[in-house]
Amino acid sequence: MSIDFHWRLPTHGCHSSIHRGSYDRGDWSPINAHNIAPGLDLNGTDDGFRYIDHLAEIAKAAESAGFLGGLIPSFPNTDDPWVISSLLAQETNSFRFMIAFQPGFGNPVQTARMAASLQRATSGRLLFNIITGGGGPAQLWWGDSFSHDDRYGRTNEWLDVFRGVWSGENFSYKGQFYDVVGGGLPPLLRAEEFPEMWFSGSSEAALQVAARHADYYLSWLEPFDQLADKFAKVKERTAALGGEQKCAIRVDLVARPTEEEAWRDIRIGFENVSDETRKRWRGQATDSVGAARQAALRPTEATRYDDLIVAPNLWGGFNLLRGGPALGIVGSYEQCAAKLDELISRGADAFILAGTPHLEEAYRVGEEVLPLLGRSASALLQAAE
């Protein structure tokens, strides 16, 4: 069975090391002498190397290291992923662009036209990561005050309309959130390949929508038994509708030649976390079930990095070192490969991987970890000793 591997493109800036919390790659933070993209030249002036140039380097590195494509996040503190995709498509050959998109961002008919146009311009390299939002202040930033279940109801209808106008002309639809009469894309756009839909969400409402619409159900990494149970539920719901569901995992890795080196980097990063970051880490208002499941993995207080070890080679403090999911994989190249292989055996069909810094780690993970997949776990772990 073929397993798809994607990388993550950090549209919000990137750290130069997992040891430090400062975003010194990118112009989302103040520019100083240690920054790149943009940075300062020997005269102390802007060197002209823009952050989109750095993102292009990451995309090209991931492509050359064997990744099929990359997730392009969308947050209040990022550039727009549609614009980023259009620019990076000119810098790569086959690399695919997974746009993170909330249905509340735009009308499904106009979004279908935009998506088909991007497919036409890039020879079919567009994918979607459909997200429905975690509520709270972050959701209100977008001007979206819908309740949790209403957001999923809207997502369900949005996907109905998006597919409907792509599938044929004279499409009509009347729902709670959308009312379309005689819709449809022009023939040249309608002929483009319909993009893969990757769907995120851990609530019961999310699983129901995923069963109807998703090509890949995407989850953050969770304890393996818990994750396998969630995958089984969404596959069962899809089978009841006569379909077949694939499942994917979004996860960060700290992969090093030895386990000791990997944990050393985690320890240094943990010890450099600021008090302000620790305060934010304790939680913000959200109705996201996925975020709540991640929060349940960690103690309220952690004074040592090893307080956050959830299981062998699994660490629950990644969101202290950078934004995003808490749980990630830490270990030697062989141990990381063994963990990915175990996840595949438990139902994972694809992965979105990441590491800090994203440029160098794309090469490291692609060249040192992925080639080890498919070997017996005992052989891998024996090689790691």
Side-chain angles (χ1 to χ4, degrees), residues 108-174:
V109 179
Q110 168 63 5
T111 307
R113 186 174 70 158
M114 292 168 59
S117 298
L118 190 56
Q119 288 289 69
R120 189 177 182 210
T122 64
S123 299
R125 289 197 269 159
L126 169 65
L127 303 86
F128 274 109
N129 174 24
I130 298 295
I131 50 181
T132 305
Q139 200 66 30
L140 291 173
W141 188 92
W142 302 104
D144 187 357
S145 60
F146 280 28
S147 67
H148 178 277
D149 285 359
D150 278 346
R151 290 200 306 275
Y152 277 103
R154 178 182 60 189
T155 295
N156 187 57
E157 289 192 10
W158 190 98
L159 289 164
D160 281 341
V161 174
F162 183 91
R163 185 177 292 275
V165 297
W166 199 304
S167 300
E169 56 187 348
N170 200 30
F171 170 78
S172 295
Y173 184 94
K174 187 170 184 61

Side-chain angles (χ1 to χ4, degrees), residues 42 54 85 147 316 367 382:
L42 294 177
H54 185 58
S85 298
S147 67
E367 295 174 355
Q382 183 178 358

